[in-house]
C-alpha cells in the first residue's frame, strides 16, 4: 500500500484529533477543555477540506464555533473547576 | 468586556459577518455551504454583538417577539414551499415537477424552490441559536419573582 502526501497529512491531523480528545478528558479546568474542543473542531475542518468536502468544512467551522460559545456560556453560569 | 477597541472592531466586522452569513444561505445550492451553516453564521454575528455590547443592547435589537415570529415563520415557510408541489398536483416538495422555472445552471436563481426553502431554514436556525444564547444568559434574579 502506497501512501501519498495527502495520506500522511491525514494521519498526522487525525493523531492530533486523538490527542485533543484525550486531553479534553483529562483536563480539569473546563475553560481549557473548551478551548481544546475548539482546536479539535478546527483540525476537523482541515480534515474535511482534505477529504474534498468543503460543504461539511463550512458547517463544521460554524457549528464548532457556536458550540464553543455555548459551552463558554454554560461554564459562565456554573462552576469552572471540575470536582 | 466593555473595551473601546473591541467595540469599534466589532462595529466594523460584525455587519460583514452577518452579510456573509446571508451570502452562504443564498448560495447554498451552487457553492459550498448551505442554509444551516449560513444560519449559524448569522446567529453568531448577533451572539457576538450581545456579548460585546452587553446582553441588554442585544435583547433590544432582537426582542423575544421577533425571535418567536422568525422561528415559527421559518418552519411555516418550509411547509408553504412544500405545498407548492401539492397545489400543482405533484408530490410534496416537488421542484421541477411542479413546473417551477429552474433557470440557467450556475446562476443564483437556478435551484427553483431550493433558494426560498433555504431562506426559511436559515432564518429558523439563526433565530434558534440566538434564542438558546439568550435563554442561557438570562439573569435568574429577573425571573425569580
Amino acid at each position: 500500500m502506497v501512501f501519498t502526501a495527502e495520506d500522511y497529512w491525514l494521519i498526522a491531523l487525525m493523531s492530533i484529533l486523538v490527542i485533543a480528545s484525550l486531553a479534553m478528558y483529562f483536563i480539569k479546568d473546563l475553560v481549557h477543555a473548551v478551548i481544546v474542543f475548539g482546536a479539535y473542531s478546527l483540525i476537523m475542518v482541515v480534515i474535511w477540506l482534505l477529504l474534498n468536502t468543503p460543504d461539511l468544512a463550512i458547517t463544521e467551522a460554524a457549528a464548532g464555533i457556536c458550540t464553543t460559545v455555548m459551552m463558554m456560556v454554560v461554564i459562565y453560569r456554573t462552576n469552572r473547576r471540575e470536582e | 468586556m466593555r473595551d473601546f477597541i473591541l467595540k469599534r472592531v466589532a462595529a466594523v466586522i460584525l455587519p460583514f459577518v452577518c452579510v456573509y452569513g446571508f451570502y452562504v444561505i443564498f448560495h447554498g445550492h451552487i457553492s459550498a455551504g448551505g442554509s444551516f451553516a449560513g444560519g449559524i453564521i448569522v446567529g453568531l454575528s448577533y451572539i457576538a454583538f450581545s456579548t460585546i455590547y452587553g446582553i441588554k443592547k442585544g435583547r433590544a435589537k432582537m426582542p423575544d417577539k421577533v425571535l418567536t415570529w422568525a422561528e415559527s415563520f421559518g418552519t411555516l415557510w418550509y411547509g408553504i414551499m412544500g405545498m407548492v408541489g401539492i397545489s400543482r398536483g405533484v408530490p410534496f416538495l416537488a421542484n421541477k415537477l411542479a413546473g417551477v422555472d429552474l433557470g440557467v445552471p450556475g446562476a443564483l436563481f437556478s435551484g427553483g424552490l431550493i433558494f426560498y426553502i433555504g431562506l426559511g431554514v436559515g432564518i429558523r436556525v439563526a433565530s434558534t441559536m440566538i434564542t438558546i444564547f439568550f435563554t442561557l444568559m438570562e439573569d435568574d434574579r429577573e425571573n425569580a419573582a
Side-chain angles (χ1 to χ4, degrees):
Chain A
M1 188 175 172
V2 182
F3 280 173
T4 60
E6 195 177 315
D7 292 337
Y8 285 117
W9 276 109
L10 272 179
I11 290 168
L13 288 170
M14 281 175 181
S15 41
I16 295 176
L17 276 192
V18 173
I19 293 168
S21 339
L22 288 174
M24 268 188 276
Y25 179 73
F26 285 112
I27 290 174
K28 290 295 174 197
D29 194 333
L30 290 179
V31 173
H32 296 177
V34 168
I35 297 299
V36 173
F37 177 76
Y40 175 94
S41 102
L42 195 65
I43 299 291
M44 203 66 211
V45 170
V46 182
I47 289 179
W48 286 129
L49 274 179
L50 279 179
L51 294 175
N52 292 325
T53 47
D55 203 15
L56 282 175
I58 288 184
T59 310
E60 174 75 37
I65 293 170
C66 204
T67 6
T68 309
V69 170
M70 292 301 174
M71 285 183 186
M72 277 292 185
V73 174
V74 171
I75 291 171
Y76 169 74
R77 303 291 299 172
T78 56
N79 291 326
R80 179 172 173 174
R81 301 288 304 182
E82 188 183 5
E83 278 95 17
Chain B
M1 277 293 200
R2 309 288 175 268
D3 190 31
F4 175 77
I5 298 173
L6 195 60
K7 276 186 179 180
R8 293 284 80 77
V9 170
V12 173
I13 289 178
L14 287 184
F16 290 102
V17 174
C18 193
V19 170
Y20 175 67
F22 278 107
Y23 170 86
V24 173
I25 291 176
F26 289 146
H27 290 71
H29 53 291
I30 50 175
S31 71
S35 40
F36 183 74
I40 290 183
I41 294 171
V42 173
L44 271 176
S45 69
Y46 279 101
I47 289 174
F49 177 84
S50 33
T51 32
I52 292 166
Y53 282 80
I55 200 80
K56 277 228 167 65
K57 277 193 175 176
R59 270 210 182 268
K61 223 169 240 316
M62 273 279 159
D64 276 345
K65 207 170 184 182
V66 174
L67 285 174
T68 314
W69 273 89
E71 240 181 292
S72 316
F73 169 80
T75 319
L76 193 65
W77 186 248
Y78 196 104
I80 292 171
M81 283 299 124
M83 288 300 172
V84 169
I86 289 186
S87 70
R88 302 273 176 92
V90 283
F92 187 70
L93 275 178
N95 200 358
K96 197 180 179 183
L97 276 176
V100 182
D101 183 24
L102 286 189
V104 189
L108 179 56
F109 293 98
S110 65
L113 288 176
I114 296 178
F115 181 85
Y116 305 103
I117 290 173
L119 181 62
V121 176
I123 290 173
R124 158 89 205 192
V125 172
S127 59
T128 308
M129 285 298 154
I130 301 168
T131 311
I132 292 175
F133 179 75
F134 281 166
T135 314
L136 285 174
M137 286 295 283
E138 209 163 51
D139 202 353
D140 291 335
R141 280 162 295 183
E142 287 176 17
N143 297 335

